[in-house]
Amino acid sequence: MSTTINLKTVTNSVGWSVLSKTSIFGLKFVTVPILARLLSPEEFGTVAVAQTVVMFLAMIGSAGLAASLVLEREEDEETLHSVFWVNLALALAMSACIYIWAVPFARWLGAEDAAYLLRVMALLVPLQLSGDVAYSLLARRMAFRKDAAWSVISESLGAVVAVALALAGFGVWALVAQLFVAAIVRLGGLFHATAYRPKFMLSLARVGALTRYSLGIMGSEFFNFITFQSPLVVVSRYLGLADAGAYSAANRFSSIPNQVLLAGLMGVLFPAFSHMGDDTRRRTDALMLSTQVSTVALAPMMFGLWAVAEPGMYLIFGPQWAHAWPVLGLLAVSKGIMSPCSTYIPFLKGAGRSDVLWWVAMLRAGLVYGLVSYGAVTGGLFTAMVWLCVANGITLIFYSWAVFRTSNVPFLSGFYTTTRPMVASLIMAVAVRWLLDRMKDDLPGGLWWNAASQVMVGIAAGAVLYGLLLFLMERGLLRKLLELVRQRKMRAA
């Protein structure tokens, strides 16, 4: 591979990727609450259910062949164009299936009224899959600065259009327009950034050589999609569109920290791990360090969100959503539990172990679907979210075991090292929650101001306490990071 991978390359790429996700976070921090105030839970739920089918097929179609291009040693023109045309043909077939069977799909999801949206949103599949080859080229070249720029531009334009249409009274079409505008702008940006132009060259032999790895990735993404989307389907089918809307709004907001850090890391670490070739020791060291760093950054955000979920839900979404604060809190906890797993998928993909990815994803999907369904049937939305936390706790254990076994890391020592920051985050969150419960009546009056004061006090107290715990529990990691920074400065000098 022509791109040289070192600490500077990776940190710069992560920086650009996280910057783009942070910018998108800012947009969603503003637009999601605005849209939640302008639209009803039923409208949110209808679009969320329709989007589930489209996201599922787009994820399956884009996961395998495009990902396999990152592992290729050379950018072979015939292979690139062949993958593009196969992806496009697959996308058009999927789009046709959605259009033809929109009513059965919507009925199966428990939202037959969403069938008309499915037919419209079917066009999103070819729009998304058509840019996969171009994105793979950016990833191979570690050109995440260009990807970051176009991600921000596309999401910004989509958000502006959505808010404008919602204010004009277009209802669910505001959310639909947001998806289409973002997809179209991003597609054009990817082609511009890579200068990739499809040519009609098709070699089924070249595509066939990529299928063994790509089928494993597609299988894992299939089950990952079930994992991430099955709670919404379960809530929609058993509890109705209103609860589905509450879940969707809370899930969107609680997913923002993941989208900022996790998505940024995964996009960069996959090509970074793949560039390490057969250097298993270097890849293992990078796995442990990146896992510790991501957990240190992600876990306090998620557990901290649980600590301020009650005032935060009222402050951000308004009084009509205030009842759903336990859902927001438990969703944040469920994501916080999975913090150490943020680097496992790119590690296994970069190491070429799509087989391990496949079976781990399959077990996780079955666990999440089964336990969330049990909770929804026996106790409603709150109970379903509790069981989601249980499912993620079990997943953390066997996912860590599978990855450490693949990388020849002793399970107990590896598990202790990677989950230790999560313990500090949990201690911090419980302390903040205890503090707010005793201070909230003494904070400024008025429901909005009281909620805002609780959130600000919680953030300040949590930052101080977590910083202290981090210094006490992670001094070895902090020394390692300082040494890496010092080495980078010496090389630059």
Side-chain angles (χ1 to χ4, degrees):
M1 293 185 180
S2 56
T3 305
T4 301
I5 298 296
N6 51 39
L7 179 63
K8 180 179 179 180
T9 305
V10 174
T11 53
N12 285 345
S13 298
V14 170
W16 280 110
S17 187
V18 171
L19 177 62
S20 72
K21 304 303 178 185
T22 304
S23 301
I24 294 171
F25 159 81
L27 288 170
K28 291 187 176 182
F29 188 85
V30 175
T31 58
V32 171
I34 291 174
L35 293 173
R37 291 172 182 267
L38 296 174
L39 305 175
S40 68
E42 287 78 7
E43 289 173 319
F44 256 93
T46 301
V47 174
V49 170
Q51 190 179 2
T52 298
V53 177
V54 175
M55 288 176 59
F56 168 69
L57 295 179
M59 183 181 294
I60 297 302
S62 65
L65 290 175
S68 63
L69 293 176
V70 179
L71 292 181
E72 291 291 288
R73 295 192 175 277
E74 301 294 337
E75 293 181 7
D76 178 71
E77 186 175 356
E78 188 174 13
T79 303
L80 294 176
H81 297 316
S82 298
V83 169
F84 174 85
W85 293 112
V86 170
N87 261 10
L88 182 59
L90 183 62
L92 293 174
M94 289 178 174
S95 184
C97 289
I98 295 175
Y99 188 89
I100 295 171
W101 289 298
V103 173
F105 277 135
R107 186 182 298 122
W108 179 75
L109 291 170
E112 191 169 353
D113 293 341
Y116 73 100
L117 283 179
L118 271 176
R119 290 195 171 99
V120 174
M121 294 169 66
L123 294 174
L124 284 170
V125 179
L127 282 175
Q128 293 177 357
L129 265 64
S130 295
D132 285 347
V133 170
Y135 176 77
S136 296
L137 291 174
L138 285 181
R140 283 178 54 86
R141 302 165 186 172
M142 301 295 284
F144 288 96
R145 178 177 62 83
K146 296 178 180 179
D147 176 61
W150 283 106
S151 294
V152 172
I153 292 172
S154 63
E155 292 292 338
S156 300
L157 292 176
V160 169
V161 169
V163 172
L165 292 180
L167 289 170
F170 281 87
V172 295
W173 296 109
L175 299 175
V176 174
Q178 179 181 20
L179 299 174
F180 273 94
V181 170
I184 292 170
V185 174
R186 178 164 172 76
L187 177 62
L190 288 173
F191 280 123
H192 174 76
T194 58
Y196 173 72
R197 301 295 181 268
K199 298 179 182 178
F200 192 73
M201 300 172 65
L202 181 62
S203 171
L204 295 180
R206 297 290 180 90
V207 174
L210 304 176
T211 54
R212 181 176 180 181
Y213 174 82
S214 64
L215 286 175
I217 298 297
M218 289 178 68
S220 68
E221 291 296 337
F222 171 81
F223 291 112
N224 282 335
F225 186 87
I226 293 176
T227 298
F228 298 133
Q229 299 299 324
S230 60
L232 175 63
V233 176
V234 168
V235 171
S236 174
R237 292 191 65 184
Y238 293 112
L239 304 177
L241 284 178
D243 277 353
Y247 170 85
S248 176
N251 191 51
R252 281 191 178 202
F253 190 78
S254 64
S255 297
I256 290 175
N258 272 340
Q259 293 170 356
V260 171
L261 179 63
L262 180 57
L265 274 176
M266 289 180 66
V268 174
L269 290 180
F270 168 38
F273 283 131
S274 68
H275 275 274
M276 294 177 186
D278 298 326
D279 192 345
T280 55
R281 178 57 184 271
R282 183 185 177 201
R283 188 186 289 129
T284 298
D285 290 342
L287 167 69
M288 297 303 295
L289 178 60
S290 59
T291 303
Q292 286 181 272
V293 172
S294 62
T295 307
V296 163
L298 185 60
M301 288 191 283
M302 303 315 304
F303 286 102
L305 181 56
W306 168 81
V308 299
E310 184 174 6
M313 195 75 181
Y314 183 92
L315 176 67
I316 297 168
F317 290 94
Q320 71 271 29
W321 297 85
H323 67 281
W325 76 263
V327 179
L328 175 63
L330 288 172
L331 280 170
V333 170
S334 71
K335 292 173 173 59
I337 291 170
M338 295 296 293
S339 297
C341 301
S342 57
T343 58
Y344 293 169
I345 291 178
F347 170 78
L348 292 173
K349 288 174 68 175
R353 297 304 305 270
S354 61
D355 55 332
V356 178
L357 265 178
W358 185 89
W359 71 260
V360 170
M362 179 181 64
L363 291 175
R364 184 187 179 192
L367 191 65
V368 168
Y369 181 80
L371 292 182
V372 171
S373 297
Y374 174 77
V377 171
T378 58
L381 184 57
F382 177 80
T383 306
M385 297 301 98
V386 172
W387 281 106
L388 176 61
C389 294
V390 174
N392 281 355
I394 299 172
T395 299
L396 170 64
I397 295 173
F398 75 72
Y399 211 160
S400 300
W401 174 83
V403 170
F404 295 149
R405 185 171 183 267
T406 301
S407 57
N408 296 318
V409 174
F411 172 72
L412 291 179
S413 63
F415 190 76
Y416 171 73
T417 300
T418 54
T419 59
R420 191 170 54 220
M422 206 166 65
V423 175
S425 301
L426 179 59
I427 295 172
M428 174 272 295
V430 172
V432 169
R433 188 68 173 263
W434 178 86
L435 178 66
L436 292 180
D437 286 341
R438 280 149 184 79
M439 289 184 60
K440 60 183 179 182
D441 293 335
D442 299 325
L443 293 174
L447 294 176
W448 192 91
W449 281 110
N450 186 269
S453 299
Q454 288 187 60
V455 171
M456 289 187 289
V457 169
I459 292 174
V464 172
L465 181 57
Y466 184 70
L468 178 61
L469 291 170
L470 196 64
F471 177 77
L472 294 175
M473 300 174 66
E474 298 294 339
R475 279 176 290 185
L477 175 62
L478 295 176
R479 283 195 297 267
K480 185 184 296 184
L481 293 176
L482 289 174
E483 177 63 20
L484 289 174
V485 172
R486 187 184 66 82
Q487 291 177 4
R488 178 176 173 177
K489 289 182 177 178
M490 288 177 63
R491 292 192 187 101

